[in-house]
Amino acid sequence: MEKYIIAIDQGTTSTRALLVDKNGRIVARASRNVDCLYPKPGWVEADPNQLFVSLVDVVNEVLIVSSKSLSDIDSLAITNQRETAVVFERDSGRAIYNAIVWQSKQTAGLCEERRAYEPLIHAKTGLLVNPYFSASKIRFILDRVPGAQKRAEEGELLAGTVDAWLIYKLSKGKRFLTDYTNASRSLLFDISKMEYDEELCRIWNIPMKMLPVPLPSSGDFGTADFFSEDLHIRGVAGDQQAALFGQGCHEKGEGKNTYGTGCFMLLNTGTEPFYSRHGLLTTLACSLDGRPRYALEGSVLVGGAVVQWLRDELRLFKESGDSEEYASRRPDTAGVYFVPAFVGLGTPYWDDEARGAVFGLTRGSDRHNIARAALYSIAYQSKDVIETMKEETGLGLKSLKVDGGASANGMLMQFQSDILGTDVILPRYRETTALGAAYLAGLSSGFFKDLAAIRGLNPVERRYVPKMTQEERDNLYRGWKKAVEATLAFKI
């Protein structure tokens, strides 16, 4: 009887499930939107229960639409929005506060209080002291909820990223696990020793007994008893590391860019960590055997989210997929630059106080020029990251593998190729995040024989080739850098 893997991708604004066969084909899909909550300016939260309910919904839907049953499923795979933190009761599984989403800036003050520890934290974690990561979010919840610190010290509370929360719920409280990639985003995990660090936990005053047990990304994470005591979870990874694996970037020097709510460029740096001097992050890549593999990462905090802003706040179009046609009604931006620093700027600037801005407006500028400039901003920010990587590592970029929702926008991908001066490669299946998790699960269970068996499962659908002259490229990018400089200079 043919078997399948169900890969769950729990993201910032949606939860998706794919049913994947042995040839790597996606047999069925399901998706549910999830809500982001904005209690105060700069705060971003989510209901942890909605995240789990949406998972249950999409798993059931892919089984129904494909006419499959749980007995047809080889294993379950989970990939998730990273850094988003949940604190919940050990016994009941009840969350004591909303999940604080990776984008949220509500913990900026807590980070500033620990700025003096940044050299030590960077040396151990490869990360910066920033609200982006999980530790300050856990600290915020323990401070915010009366009695939470005492309960945490007494072992009554658990804290983890979304993968740990979902595994706990799926196992009906029997398993509290995470994988190395998610653990490496907590600011509490030593990426050289591959373990949570007592000194880091003391800096944030987070009891180590709260934290999940970390495991290799490909392995047995226990059974999903919520569905069946025979259904094992065998692949878990943070979304960006899962996408790196799903894109086939298994060797040193291979990289990808995911165009989701944010954009995340990852470069495989092999078995040795590479520590950046210019705002890049050192993180763990997916491992099959428990031995560390590393990646260098650059983060664009607002990528596809700018399209959602055009859709929801400005109401320029009804569906995100309409953005390309809408922006294409004008041949260019007419000199307009859009810097979407809605929640600050990421790599290489890391300025939490920056706010969005539009520059170069004239009486002739219209909403189509602004929409095009907003799309171009995604490519400009990605170029900022890639140029920083090239400068620091000395590695050239022969081509860029891309995935994520916004990679379906042909105008954006062509401009990305143009502004980089390199080929942009789009795979047939763009859900490489979920596929990466599926590959990890399948390698653990024997569903896929080895790495060679998964190479070529997702062939190239389209290759974008640069058409812009170097002079045009330089002039446009120079204008972008001026716009960013002006944005950074403006503070409320």
Side-chain angles (χ1 to χ4, degrees):
M1 183 174 64
E2 187 171 5
K3 293 280 190 175
Y4 303 87
I5 290 174
I6 294 180
I8 298 156
D9 181 0
Q10 201 301 296
T12 312
T13 57
S14 69
T15 302
R16 295 168 293 281
L18 303 182
L19 191 66
V20 181
D21 70 11
K22 278 202 170 186
N23 296 312
R25 292 177 299 198
I26 299 173
V27 177
R29 296 176 173 86
S31 179
R32 290 287 185 281
N33 290 335
V34 295
D35 300 320
C36 284
L37 310 173
Y38 307 96
K40 295 182 181 181
W43 293 30
V44 189
E45 298 178 355
D47 178 356
N49 289 323
Q50 187 189 30
L51 303 184
F52 181 63
V53 170
S54 64
L55 178 153
V56 174
D57 285 349
V58 294
V59 169
N60 284 328
E61 183 173 333
V62 293
L63 291 172
I64 292 168
V65 299
S66 63
S67 300
K68 306 301 177 188
S69 66
L70 288 171
S71 62
D72 298 314
I73 306 306
D74 170 83
S75 53
L76 203 62
I78 297 173
T79 182
N80 57 284
Q81 53 174 309
R82 304 171 305 169
E83 298 96 20
T84 297
V86 186
V87 177
F88 56 98
E89 294 174 343
R90 181 186 296 272
D91 291 339
S92 71
R94 184 185 69 86
I96 67 170
Y97 190 83
N98 282 337
I100 301 182
V101 175
W102 59 273
Q103 289 177 312
S104 187
K105 299 301 178 185
Q106 67 205 73
T107 63
L110 293 170
C111 291
E112 197 56 42
E113 291 172 5
R114 292 159 175 83
R115 188 67 60 195
Y117 295 106
E118 187 157 66
L120 182 150
I121 290 173
H122 182 254
K124 289 190 175 188
T125 70
L127 308 177
L128 306 173
V129 176
N130 192 277
Y132 183 37
F133 306 108
S134 307
S136 64
K137 303 177 192 301
I138 297 170
R139 182 68 260 150
F140 179 93
I141 295 172
L142 293 179
D143 288 342
R144 185 84 169 179
V145 179
Q149 181 67 31
K150 184 174 183 293
R151 295 184 69 193
E153 291 170 357
E154 293 176 352
E156 296 179 17
L157 299 180
L158 301 176
T161 42
V162 171
D163 60 309
W165 162 254
L166 297 178
I167 292 169
Y168 182 91
K169 298 293 284 184
L170 285 169
S171 68
K172 295 186 176 180
K174 296 176 184 175
R175 300 284 188 274
F176 185 46
L177 307 170
T178 188
D179 90 302
Y180 291 142
T181 67
N182 278 293
S184 74
R185 311 298 292 187
S186 65
L187 282 182
L188 303 171
F189 194 81
D190 188 316
I191 61 173
S192 295
K193 296 180 179 178
M194 303 289 278
E195 61 186 24
Y196 288 109
D197 183 84
E198 289 186 12
E199 187 174 18
L200 295 174
C201 288
R202 281 199 301 271
I203 289 171
W204 296 99
N205 193 20
I206 294 172
M208 290 185 71
K209 65 179 69 175
M210 294 186 75
L211 303 174
V213 175
L215 298 175
S217 303
S218 181
D220 193 346
F221 288 79
T223 53
D225 293 9
F226 185 90
F227 292 113
S228 168
E229 293 181 357
D230 297 323
L231 179 59
H232 283 254
I233 304 166
R234 293 193 177 272
V236 177
D239 51 11
Q240 302 313 317
Q241 287 97 330
L244 185 71
F245 195 82
Q247 283 276 30
C249 300
H250 306 144
E251 302 298 329
K252 182 177 179 179
E254 296 179 326
K256 66 87 199 175
N257 198 20
T258 294
Y259 298 78
T261 303
C263 294
F264 300 91
M265 174 71 190
L266 267 72
L267 180 70
N268 188 325
T269 60
T271 57
E272 296 295 329
F274 185 98
Y275 290 91
S276 169
R277 302 181 307 276
H278 299 292
L280 296 171
L281 306 175
T282 306
T283 195
L284 287 170
C286 294
S287 63
L288 303 179
D289 54 10
R291 290 183 292 183
R293 294 193 68 85
Y294 297 93
L296 199 59
E297 175 175 334
S299 305
V300 172
L301 302 184
V302 175
V306 74
V307 177
Q308 297 166 351
W309 185 80
L310 295 174
R311 179 194 68 196
D312 299 337
E313 272 63 51
L314 295 192
R315 300 184 180 181
L316 297 186
F317 37 79
K318 291 184 178 180
E319 302 292 338
S320 295
D322 298 334
S323 61
E324 180 176 2
E325 186 279 328
Y326 190 89
S328 295
R329 294 178 193 175
R330 296 293 180 269
D332 53 38
T333 68
V336 174
Y337 286 89
F338 190 134
V339 184
F342 300 151
V343 290
L345 286 172
T347 308
Y349 312 104
W350 289 107
D351 189 325
D352 299 331
E353 302 302 318
R355 292 296 177 262
V358 180
F359 296 96
L361 293 173
T362 67
R363 182 63 183 83
S365 304
D366 66 14
R367 54 191 177 178
H368 304 291
N369 296 131
I370 293 172
R372 196 176 187 102
L375 289 174
Y376 281 10
S377 75
I378 302 172
Y380 282 128
Q381 292 178 95
S382 297
K383 181 177 173 69
D384 284 341
V385 172
I386 291 166
E387 290 300 317
T388 305
M389 283 188 173
K390 288 164 64 177
E391 178 183 342
E392 289 220 61
T393 66
L395 296 173
L397 186 69
K398 294 181 180 179
S399 61
L400 179 66
K401 295 180 179 180
V402 299
D403 54 63
S407 66
N409 189 308
M411 185 185 74
L412 170 60
M413 291 299 100
Q414 182 59 57
F415 185 73
Q416 186 71 88
S417 175
D418 287 338
I419 203 66
L420 289 176
T422 192
D423 291 4
V424 168
I425 299 172
L426 183 70
R428 175 184 296 171
Y429 298 122
R430 293 158 199 158
E431 300 99 325
T432 56
T433 301
L435 284 174
Y439 298 158
L440 290 165
L443 288 168
S444 171
S445 70
F447 188 80
F448 299 118
K449 183 180 179 182
D450 51 29
L451 282 177
I454 62 176
R455 291 194 180 100
L457 292 182
N458 194 8
V460 174
E461 177 177 293
R462 183 168 179 184
R463 180 184 291 266
Y464 294 90
V465 178
K467 301 177 181 178
M468 190 178 286
T469 67
Q470 187 63 46
E471 183 179 6
E472 290 176 298
R473 185 177 302 120
D474 290 344
N475 287 337
L476 286 171
Y477 191 52
R478 192 178 301 115
W480 165 255
K481 298 297 279 187
K482 288 180 180 178
V484 171
E485 183 179 352
T487 299
L488 294 173
F490 177 78
K491 297 288 190 267
I492 296 176

